[in-house]
């Protein structure tokens, strides 16, 4: 309940900062028409350019070691070696049952075993809750030695994290043995060199496509690992032919990310440093992140918006990239707002958990009580979320906030003035009397003479 409003506040501040960065892109970026001949006048400035990622005619190989490929891979932007081991894991399943009388709950936890390939290395020799189940490390230590490293730096992964998602979320450190990765030092777009840091930091752009290395480039045998063999898919493995994997078996996959695709950049143009000995091409310029200092009020106020840059796969002009950035930011903001709102509602719901627990002892009112307090939590959570967002708007978007307040006050004033005028008119001339007078004015009088009224004086009847 204390943290959720802070998250709402921070999200609104983050959103405003992101929009200011996007505006900076729009107002400051200079379009480079010809990436093969950029101008020196734009050095240390924000530029936008589009072109094909190329490594020229160079080939790429992993660091020299027995576990390496037999020959370099041509037209490769990256090459990586992924080592997997077949291990046992615990599956946890919980079943909660509520008592019919008394409101108690019984939770039953069941542990089962599953086996799967993992790039995270050997798992615990004994499973924590199933000590009778054990893991074998197989020839993993031999793979570490064959990769050219003295010891394995175990990748950091959260406990119980599914191994099939480990590589997807980049929890595997491919610089740690026995894994391996190499980045082409000659990568460039036109006259702009691409450093290793840029290629590694933008996997969605430069590592979106991984292709298996051709089988003829994979060694048939590895020195120090006689149990390895090449299977029909071009992988090295200890799994016997025609059999399934057993605990401790290993498998080695070789893949590369090809160059030759288009990419678009909004980055800072800087002077590049060439190093022919390491394969870094003699390109005049490089790219870097641009640090934004936003000045307002004639330079009297300066805000550090942090570093900005944007890289997208494919060809996109400056307007398209700005629109993509706005759409991405809007989506992220909406998702975070929804998450914060859910957290606030859940926080209020948990605040009433003492009362709902007491009500759970009464089977008749249990469901009604839970539903009633959920509605209260929903209303309070929504109100808190709206209130914090409104205050955050005043803090981070004062002009927009005061415009909205002014419009709302104007509408409220007009409605109030109109209601007051109507009330005064009604007080001076009540609606019932006005209606009667209008009817009387539209009716013709009927003249009754003395004869019709038995000698009395004439009267007019409506």
């Amino acid at each position: 309940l204390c943290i959720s409003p802070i998250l709402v506040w921070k999200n609104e501040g983050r959103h405003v900062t992101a929009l200011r960065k996007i505006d900076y892109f729009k107002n400051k970026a200079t379009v480079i028409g010809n990436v093969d001949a950029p101008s020196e006048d734009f050095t240390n400035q924000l530029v936008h350019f589009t072109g094909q990622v190329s490594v020229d005619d160079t080939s790429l190989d992993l660091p020299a070691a027995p576990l390496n490929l037999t020959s370099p891979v041509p037209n490769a932007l990256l090459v990586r070696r992924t080592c997997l081991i077949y291990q046992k894991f615990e599956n946890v399943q919980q079943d909660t049952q509520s008592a019919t009388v008394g409101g108690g709950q019984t939770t039953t936890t069941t542990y089962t075993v599953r086996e799967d390939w993992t790039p995270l290395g050997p798992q615990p020799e004994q499973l924590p809750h199933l000590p009778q189940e054990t893991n074998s490390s197989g020839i993993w230590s031999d793979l570490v030695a064959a990769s050219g490293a003295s010891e394995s730096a175990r990748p950091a992964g959260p406990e119980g994290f599914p191994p099939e998602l480990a590589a997807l979320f980049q929890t595997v450190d491919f610089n740690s043995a026995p894994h391996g990765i190499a980045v082409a030092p000659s990568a460039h777009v036109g006259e702009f060199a691409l450093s290793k840091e840029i290629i590694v930091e933008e996997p969605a752009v430069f590592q979106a496509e991984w292709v298996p290395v051709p089988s003829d480039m994979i060694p048939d045998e590895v020195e120090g690992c006689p149990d390895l063999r090449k299977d029909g898919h071009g992988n090295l493995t200890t799994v016997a032919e025609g059999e399934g994997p057993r605990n401790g078996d290993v498998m080695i996959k070789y893949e590369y990310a090809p160059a030759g695709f288009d990419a678009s950049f909004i980055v800072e143009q800087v002077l590049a440093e060439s190093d022919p000995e390491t394969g870094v091409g003699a390109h005049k310029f490089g790219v870097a992140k641009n640090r934004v200092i936003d000045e307002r009020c004639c330079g009297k106020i300066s805000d550090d918006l942090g570093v900005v840059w944007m890289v997208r796969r494919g060809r996109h002009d400056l307007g398209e990239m700005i629109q993509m950035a706005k759409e991405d930011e809007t989506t992220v903001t909406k998702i975070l707002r929804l998450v914060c709102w859910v957290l606030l509602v859940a926080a209020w719901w948990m605040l009433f958990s003492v009362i709902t627990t007491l009500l759970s002892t009464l089977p008749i009112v249990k469901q009604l009580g839970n539903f009633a307090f959920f509605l209260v939590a929903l209303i309070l959570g929504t109100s808190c979320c709206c209130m914090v967002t409104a205050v955050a708007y005043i803090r981070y978007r004062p002009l927009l906030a005061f415009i909205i307040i002014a419009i709302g006050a104007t509408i409220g004033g007009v409605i109030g003035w109109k209601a007051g005028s109507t009330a005064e008119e009604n007080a001076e001339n009540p609606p019932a009397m006005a209606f009667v007078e209008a009817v009387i004015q539209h009716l013709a009088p009927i003249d009754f003479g003395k004869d019709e009224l038995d000698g009395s004086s004439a009267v007019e009847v409506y």
Side-chain angles (χ1 to χ4, degrees):
L1 191 58
C2 298
I3 297 176
S4 299
I6 298 176
L7 296 178
V8 175
W9 180 276
K10 291 292 186 181
N11 180 46
E12 295 303 323
R14 182 205 59 79
H15 180 53
V16 171
T17 301
L19 292 180
R20 291 172 64 183
K21 288 182 178 181
I22 295 173
D23 287 338
Y24 186 84
F25 284 154
K26 182 179 179 180
N27 299 326
K28 299 294 184 180
T30 302
V31 178
I32 303 297
N34 185 5
V35 294
D36 295 321
S39 173
E40 293 185 5
D41 298 338
F42 303 129
T43 303
N44 298 326
Q45 294 184 22
L46 196 67
V47 297
H48 165 268
F49 62 89
T50 299
Q52 188 180 79
V53 178
S54 174
V55 293
D56 297 328
D57 297 328
T58 61
S59 299
L60 184 61
D61 200 358
L62 291 166
L67 208 57
N68 202 355
L69 300 170
T70 58
S71 61
V73 182
N75 194 40
L77 185 63
L78 298 100
V79 175
R80 73 181 182 188
R81 175 181 63 239
T82 307
C83 299
L84 302 99
I85 185 170
Y86 201 70
Q87 295 285 272
K88 293 180 180 179
F89 299 88
E90 287 185 348
N91 265 345
V92 182
Q93 183 177 1
Q94 290 186 336
D95 183 24
T96 302
Q97 294 182 346
S98 299
T100 306
V101 179
Q105 289 184 335
T106 302
T107 302
T108 303
T109 304
T110 305
Y111 296 93
T112 57
V113 179
R114 64 178 175 85
E115 290 186 291
D116 204 347
W117 292 102
T118 174
L120 301 180
Q123 299 301 300
E125 186 175 352
Q126 278 188 329
L127 299 186
H129 300 92
L130 299 170
Q132 71 277 11
E133 300 289 346
T134 58
N135 278 314
S136 170
S137 60
I139 64 167
W140 190 266
S141 58
D142 296 333
L143 293 182
V144 174
S147 66
S150 58
E151 60 181 7
S152 173
R154 185 184 177 91
E159 184 178 355
F161 193 74
E164 59 273 10
L165 297 179
L168 179 63
F169 288 99
Q170 299 297 312
T171 58
V172 179
D173 182 7
F174 285 98
N175 292 308
S176 65
H179 307 294
I181 191 169
V183 181
S186 60
H188 66 96
V189 175
E191 197 61 26
F192 291 93
L194 301 178
S195 65
K196 176 181 177 181
E197 291 74 20
I198 292 174
I199 296 174
V200 172
E201 287 182 18
E202 296 289 342
V205 178
F206 302 104
Q207 304 178 41
E209 179 185 4
W210 288 97
V211 181
V213 172
S215 180
D216 57 354
M217 295 183 179
I218 298 174
D220 294 322
E221 57 184 23
V222 177
E223 181 182 352
C225 303
D227 295 332
L228 286 175
R229 69 173 186 86
K230 187 190 297 184
D231 62 14
H233 301 286
N235 302 320
L236 296 178
T237 182
T238 58
V239 179
E241 187 174 0
E243 298 182 6
R246 296 178 298 178
N247 190 266
D249 278 334
V250 299
M251 179 170 57
I252 306 172
K253 294 183 177 181
Y254 295 89
E255 301 168 301
Y256 75 100
F261 57 88
D262 293 328
S264 303
F265 300 79
I266 301 179
V267 291
E268 181 181 357
Q269 175 180 313
V270 296
L271 295 175
E273 297 180 0
S274 61
D275 187 359
E277 294 184 359
T278 59
V280 178
H283 301 288
K284 190 171 185 179
F285 300 104
V287 297
K289 296 180 179 180
N290 183 261
R291 191 164 195 87
V292 177
I293 305 297
D294 189 20
E295 296 183 352
R296 295 179 294 173
C297 297
C298 301
K300 295 182 179 180
I301 301 177
S302 299
D303 291 337
D304 186 357
L305 301 182
V307 295
V308 297
W309 75 340
M310 186 177 178
V311 186
R312 290 289 186 271
R313 195 178 179 96
R315 288 187 173 270
H316 308 284
D317 59 29
L318 181 59
E320 290 176 343
M321 294 191 72
I322 295 299
Q323 184 61 32
M324 292 167 64
K326 288 182 178 179
E327 292 175 355
D328 292 346
E329 175 56 30
T330 300
T331 301
V332 171
T333 302
K334 289 181 178 179
I335 292 175
L336 292 178
R337 283 174 178 170
L338 179 62
V339 170
C340 293
W341 173 73
V342 171
L343 289 176
L344 272 172
V345 174
W348 281 104
W349 171 252
M350 288 186 288
L351 193 64
F352 299 130
S353 60
V354 176
I355 302 175
T356 55
T357 301
L358 293 176
L359 291 177
S360 64
T361 61
L362 305 173
I364 299 177
V365 298
K366 175 183 176 181
Q367 300 298 333
L368 278 176
N370 288 339
F371 180 72
F373 281 106
F374 172 76
L375 286 181
V376 174
L378 183 65
I379 295 172
L380 292 175
T382 304
S383 301
C384 286
C385 187
C386 294
M387 182 179 64
V388 175
T389 303
V391 176
Y393 259 68
I394 297 175
R395 165 61 180 85
Y396 295 110
R397 299 180 177 183
L399 181 60
L400 179 60
F402 285 119
I403 289 176
I404 294 174
I405 292 174
I407 293 174
T410 302
I411 295 174
V414 170
I415 294 175
W417 171 77
K418 189 63 178 176
S421 300
T422 304
E424 291 178 0
E425 292 177 0
N426 292 339
E428 295 175 358
N429 191 13
M433 293 299 299
F435 175 76
V436 171
E437 292 178 359
V439 172
I440 291 176
Q441 291 177 0
H442 287 82
L443 289 179
I446 302 175
D447 187 9
F448 291 92
K450 294 181 178 180
D451 296 338
E452 287 82 355
L453 296 174
D454 298 330
S456 59
S457 60
V459 296
E460 291 182 350
V461 180
Y462 294 88

